[in-house]
Amino acid sequence: MPRIADVSNVEKNFILEALISSKLRLDGRQLDQYRSIDLTYGQQLGNATVTLGKTKVNVQISAEVTKPSEERKFDGIFTITTELSPIASPGFEIGRPTEQEVLLSRILEKAIRRSRAIDTESLCIVAGQKCWSVRADVHVLDFDGGLTDACCIATMAALHHFRRPEVSVEGERVTIHTMAERVPVPLSILHSPICVTFSFYADGELVLLDATAKEEQVREAEMVVTANDFEVCQIAKHGGKPVDPAIVVKCFQVAIFKAREMNKSMRARLTADLAKRDIRGQSAENERGEAPIG
């Protein structure tokens, strides 16, 4: 089975020497600088593509009416599925999820669903009988590091962009209206979590943001901090060398700042896209728009 080519010892030493001794990165960025981030909305509502450097992720949101779970009769259902296709990297294979894919799924699950970013109670139609089941399909199209951050940004952008059909309830009769009959309804989003991944080098003393694939291969540890505009929502550190608590606290502050920046840009891009669709009608759905968000 093909795998991502390991960085040679010569290249590894070169990358580490440049980072530790000269604070230089191969692409010339600052240590706390993200690569160019582009957000593109598709023809359908709820379709968003994020490009982070050479990493590219597409997310499609869909919804259907189903029966709620017996344990949560007053809640709708929200699920996230991830697909790491071999087209993105030779290290990914269909039907055989790698450890990276499992960790990605868990982090997105905790960052978005378990942090209650989506108000699942608002997805309930008739308690115990009918509810909306909202699903986010995350497709990785190209990979060069920063996968968790790109997937989280794309998922939140798609969720904000999505509109579900309006529903009316008369007794036990449920009517789902077409978009031509009634204006579709946005999801009730309580907050917008953004994942920020920190990579550590030199016994945790050197910290990078948005590491490329090669920088990820030579790091000593990583930590994913999920934050919204006001607070930290989740921390995930899977092994690696320990990190000084003072550095961790600084990472929290940086994560909140970066989350505010990305959410502000995302909201501006969303407003522009929806306004264009409202003004120009259905013809606007056949066009794609893109703008930098970080």
Side-chain angles (χ1 to χ4, degrees):
M1 181 174 63
R3 291 293 182 185
I4 300 174
D6 293 331
V7 176
S8 66
N9 289 333
V10 173
E11 190 171 13
K12 176 181 179 179
N13 293 334
F14 178 79
I15 294 173
L16 292 176
E17 180 69 20
L19 285 174
I20 298 172
S21 300
S22 305
K23 303 296 189 293
L24 294 176
R25 305 177 73 168
L26 295 181
D27 53 12
R29 285 181 290 145
Q30 300 296 319
L31 300 183
D32 61 350
Q33 183 180 356
Y34 268 86
R35 288 169 288 181
S36 174
I37 307 177
D38 289 328
L39 168 62
T40 302
Y41 289 114
Q43 297 178 3
Q44 295 180 337
L45 291 168
N47 184 288
T49 301
V50 165
T51 303
L52 175 60
K54 294 181 181 179
T55 296
K56 190 172 185 179
V57 177
N58 173 265
V59 176
Q60 175 66 58
I61 308 297
S62 58
E64 63 178 358
V65 176
T66 186
K67 184 178 180 180
S69 64
E70 292 295 330
E71 297 79 14
R72 306 189 70 88
K73 297 182 179 181
F74 298 93
D75 282 8
I77 300 171
F78 173 56
T79 56
I80 303 174
T81 63
T82 58
E83 180 188 13
L84 275 63
S85 169
I87 195 174
S89 169
F92 306 147
E93 184 174 350
I94 295 177
R96 300 183 64 176
T98 62
E99 180 182 357
Q100 185 178 22
E101 184 172 0
V102 173
L103 290 176
L104 174 64
S105 298
R106 289 178 180 175
I107 291 174
L108 292 178
E109 174 82 4
K110 293 179 181 178
I112 301 175
R113 193 182 73 84
R114 293 192 186 180
S115 72
R116 297 190 63 82
I118 305 298
D119 180 13
T120 52
E121 289 186 5
S122 68
L123 300 176
C124 180
I125 301 174
V126 179
Q129 298 181 31
K130 293 183 183 295
C131 72
W132 284 106
S133 175
V134 177
R135 170 171 165 165
D137 290 299
V138 182
H139 304 280
V140 179
L141 305 178
D142 206 350
F143 171 71
D144 185 29
L147 190 57
T148 302
D149 298 7
C151 288
C152 187
I153 294 170
T155 302
M156 290 310 304
L159 287 169
H160 280 287
H161 192 248
F162 180 70
R163 300 291 185 270
R164 64 167 177 81
E166 177 66 283
V167 176
S168 60
V169 180
E170 297 179 6
E172 294 184 357
R173 181 182 178 183
V174 176
T175 303
I176 301 175
H177 300 279
T178 65
M179 293 188 180
E181 293 174 337
R182 293 192 182 181
V183 177
V185 181
L187 297 175
S188 178
I189 299 178
L190 303 179
H191 68 110
S192 297
I194 298 294
C195 290
V196 181
T197 302
F198 298 88
S199 299
F200 299 95
Y201 307 82
D203 295 324
E205 296 295 326
L206 185 67
V207 186
L208 290 190
L209 279 180
D210 184 26
T212 63
K214 288 185 178 181
E215 290 172 338
E216 288 182 352
Q217 289 187 58
V218 301
R219 66 189 173 192
E220 298 170 351
E222 70 167 322
M223 180 175 66
V224 179
V225 179
T226 306
N228 55 30
D229 289 354
F230 310 102
E231 62 185 356
V232 172
C233 309
Q234 177 209 221
I235 309 163
K237 185 179 183 300
H238 304 283
K241 291 190 176 181
V243 180
D244 186 270
I247 295 178
V248 173
V249 172
K250 290 182 180 179
C251 291
F252 292 168
Q253 297 170 345
V254 172
I256 294 174
F257 177 77
K258 293 294 183 182
R260 286 175 181 168
E261 280 190 333
M262 292 184 183
N263 279 325
K264 180 180 178 181
S265 299
M266 191 188 304
R267 286 190 290 268
R269 177 67 191 91
L270 176 66
T271 300
D273 181 84
L274 295 179
K276 182 174 65 173
R277 291 171 188 264
D278 290 342
I279 293 172
R280 300 177 61 183
Q282 295 298 320
S283 63
E285 295 187 1
N286 295 324
E287 299 179 4
R288 296 177 181 267
E290 61 181 48
I293 67 168

